[in-house]
Amino acid sequence: MTKYFTLLMFILVISFILISCNQPLSKQEEAIKDNKEVEVKEQISLNGVFLHTTWGEVTQKLAEEYEKETGVSVNIELVGRDMIFQKLALSIAGNASYDLFNVDYNWVPELVSTNSLQPLKKYIEKNKVDTEGFLPRALALTQWNGVNGAYGDGGNIYGLPQTIHPHILWYRSDLFEDEKLKSEFKAIYGYDLSPPKTMRQFREMAGFFNGKIVNGKKYMAGLDKLVKGSAMCIHG
């Protein structure tokens, strides 16, 4: 049975969002349906899945503090990105009991299209969450407008920003200054080889360097983690 999720998503603007998928006890479900408050005497436990990174480890520490303050037990698993999506899919299908997810913001359109996410407007208003404190672009990436298929633009809010960081362009200056490579590049693309200023230039330079062998070494280029053998990459 497919579950309908009440979400608290915290966005990592370039990479991830944290989604809270509320799978409450039956008494809580009735309370939500009837818009009533109900006292739940049973011990409440929340299970979360986060990326195995610094912010995931920080969340584990915050979970300990939250448990002390509220009595609610929070268990946070740190796993890889692909495993997060698998566990999210299982929870949506009702085959797993996870409540918190740290996921890519670009998963939002897909999840909204399958009615797996619930807008947070009424929860934001009820808890008096000040959304003005978030960077506009960060908040926009938590919104999705299903009418015109765009982030922001007055769309429903499905999350709140969690971690924000910029992309960084890394490149091998020695390769960009190599006269032979510069001549070869200009002959193909018609302009000088230099650090890209637009995404079109980045794509063309990535295509030029990706798989190229220089002095017996094969180089890579693209949107990825910076690794040995990279001629150029954008990493966030």
Side-chain angles (χ1 to χ4, degrees):
M1 179 180 68
T2 301
K3 290 184 178 295
Y4 187 71
F5 285 71
T6 300
L7 300 181
L8 289 176
M9 303 187 314
F10 300 84
I11 199 165
L12 173 59
V13 170
I14 304 304
S15 301
F16 307 102
I17 300 173
L18 168 65
I19 302 181
S20 168
C21 304
N22 186 13
Q23 296 179 313
L25 300 172
S26 58
K27 291 183 179 180
Q28 291 170 301
E29 290 178 330
E30 294 174 3
I32 292 174
K33 181 179 179 181
D34 299 332
N35 197 27
K36 298 178 181 178
E37 300 219 359
V38 62
E39 181 181 357
V40 181
K41 296 182 179 179
E42 294 91 341
Q43 172 64 44
I44 298 176
S45 296
L46 299 176
N47 298 307
V49 182
F50 280 70
L51 193 66
H52 201 301
T53 54
T54 303
W55 56 86
E57 295 173 357
V58 169
T59 304
Q60 287 182 321
K61 296 295 183 182
L62 292 174
E64 295 175 2
E65 297 179 12
Y66 184 79
E67 184 170 357
K68 291 178 182 179
E69 293 179 3
T70 66
V72 176
S73 175
V74 183
N75 306 303
I76 303 295
E77 294 180 30
L78 302 183
V79 300
R81 185 181 305 181
D82 291 342
M83 184 59 68
I84 291 177
F85 189 85
Q86 291 178 26
K87 291 179 180 291
L88 175 60
L90 287 172
S91 292
I92 291 175
N95 297 321
S97 297
Y98 290 99
D99 309 286
L100 303 166
F101 290 87
N102 179 199
V103 305
D104 282 343
Y105 73 84
N106 53 13
W107 293 352
V108 172
E110 177 183 352
L111 296 173
V112 171
S113 69
T114 57
N115 293 321
S116 298
L117 306 187
Q118 182 172 327
L120 296 182
K121 181 179 179 180
K122 65 179 180 180
Y123 302 105
I124 290 174
E125 293 176 348
K126 180 179 179 180
N127 293 282
K128 296 180 174 60
V129 177
D130 182 14
T131 57
E132 296 296 324
F134 297 110
L135 293 173
R137 181 54 182 164
L139 189 63
L141 289 175
T142 71
Q143 299 173 276
W144 179 252
N145 187 330
V147 177
N148 58 13
Y151 288 103
D153 196 25
N156 290 317
I157 294 179
Y158 293 98
L160 297 174
Q162 178 207 13
T163 305
I164 303 168
H165 62 89
H167 277 158
I168 297 176
L169 172 67
W170 302 85
Y171 66 94
R172 287 280 300 270
S173 60
D174 59 328
L175 297 179
F176 275 74
E177 294 170 1
D178 185 283
E179 293 300 328
K180 182 178 179 181
L181 293 175
K182 289 170 67 175
S183 297
E184 184 180 344
F185 179 86
K186 188 169 185 177
I188 298 173
Y189 297 100
Y191 61 93
D192 292 331
L193 178 63
S194 62
K197 296 180 179 179
T198 66
M199 286 307 298
R200 181 183 67 82
Q201 291 180 352
F202 177 83
R203 289 194 298 268
E204 291 175 347
M205 293 177 192
F208 176 75
F209 280 113
N210 196 39
K212 182 169 288 297
I213 298 176
V214 181
N215 297 326
K217 294 182 180 180
K218 186 176 182 179
Y219 289 91
M220 298 175 291
L223 295 168
D224 204 347
K225 292 182 177 179
L226 185 66
V227 296
K228 185 177 180 180
S230 293
M232 176 186 68
C233 79
I234 289 180
H235 176 51

